[in-house]
Amino acid sequence: MQQNILELFAKRHSFYELNNNMPLSDEEIKHLIQKNLQLYPSPFNSQSARIVLLLGERHLKLWNIVLQTLIPLTPENKLTTLSEKISKFSKAYATILFYIDKNTVQSLKDKFPLYAANFDNWSYQANAILQFMIWTSLADNAIGANLQHYNPIIDEKVKATFNISPDWELVAQMPFGGIVSTPTPHIVEDIKKSFVIK
């Protein structure tokens, strides 16, 4: 599907009303994610990003972990709202977990001590670019997604449940699926406040 790159960016929204009806097969989804992993930029070509794709029961298990972790931390009068929110993520088709391999980052610090203070920040920046790329790629295929950050409170339980490397740091969760409804476009700030030419 060829189109103007800015039009493609404009298709990417935070879709919260999702279902498990998908226009792509699991193999096509895997290929799409793998292609993005091959193309995203990273400092010194470090490629520190790692992805875990949770399908089917594993996707549902993740959001049950999130809910059970949050219940003891949530005031009783907010529990219904919490349950409804997490339920929306559960109704999606699958979830992508975005990780950073801390061993890769540490090896760069050791190899390039002059830039050591920057590599953590750079790894988050590179991961954010990958998140945006995948999010946009999903949107290009009429798949809705949103980005969540329940780390670090779910980290240890998720690692134990899905046998994730202890050297990987969870940075984001992206539930995705069929689009039930399109959100209202967000208000864009006056460009004069955020764009300066000198």
Side-chain angles (χ1 to χ4, degrees):
M1 184 184 300
Q2 293 184 344
Q3 58 187 309
N4 180 288
I5 189 67
L6 296 179
E7 293 175 350
L8 181 56
F9 289 165
K11 293 174 68 175
R12 184 216 54 80
H13 295 280
S14 291
F15 290 93
Y16 294 105
E17 302 294 336
L18 301 170
N19 60 31
N20 60 6
N21 298 321
M22 289 291 289
L24 299 182
S25 68
D26 287 355
E27 282 304 312
E28 289 170 324
I29 293 168
K30 292 173 189 176
H31 176 75
L32 185 69
I33 293 172
Q34 288 169 349
K35 199 64 181 176
N36 278 277
L37 267 171
Q38 293 170 346
L39 295 174
Y40 85 102
S42 61
F44 292 78
N45 195 33
S46 55
Q47 302 178 52
S48 62
R50 303 289 183 267
I51 281 181
V52 176
L53 175 62
L54 300 177
L55 297 164
E57 290 300 318
R58 291 177 176 262
H59 156 74
L60 296 174
K61 187 174 289 187
L62 169 75
W63 293 107
N64 186 57
I65 289 172
V66 174
L67 180 61
Q68 296 307 315
T69 302
L70 288 175
I71 284 175
L73 306 175
T74 304
E76 190 171 346
N77 64 339
K78 300 287 182 66
L79 287 176
T80 299
T81 301
L82 170 68
S83 180
E84 290 172 351
K85 181 179 182 181
I86 302 304
S87 176
K88 287 184 178 182
F89 304 144
S90 296
K91 290 176 182 176
Y93 182 77
T95 300
I96 301 168
L97 301 181
F98 292 89
Y99 282 90
I100 291 172
D101 183 351
K102 302 304 287 185
N103 277 343
T104 299
V105 177
Q106 185 59 51
S107 68
L108 288 168
K109 292 179 181 180
D110 296 339
K111 189 174 182 180
F112 303 102
L114 185 63
Y115 302 104
N118 296 319
F119 281 117
D120 284 317
N121 191 38
W122 287 344
S123 69
Y124 293 125
Q125 292 173 1
N127 205 282
I129 293 171
L130 176 61
Q131 293 164 30
F132 181 81
M133 288 172 62
I134 291 177
W135 200 347
T136 305
S137 296
L138 292 171
D140 190 37
N141 286 277
I143 298 170
N146 60 76
L147 198 63
Q148 300 301 313
H149 301 89
Y150 289 104
N151 45 289
I153 61 173
I154 64 170
D155 291 16
E156 293 310 313
K157 182 65 174 177
V158 170
K159 282 182 180 178
T161 301
F162 302 113
N163 194 26
I164 306 296
S165 169
D167 300 317
W168 292 11
E169 177 189 355
L170 182 61
V171 292
Q173 307 87 53
M174 183 180 286
F176 66 88
I179 298 171
V180 176
S181 63
T182 301
T184 303
H186 64 274
I187 298 172
V188 179
E189 187 179 65
D190 183 355
I191 200 68
K192 293 177 182 178
K193 296 180 180 179
S194 53
F195 182 49
V196 178
I197 302 175
K198 295 192 176 184

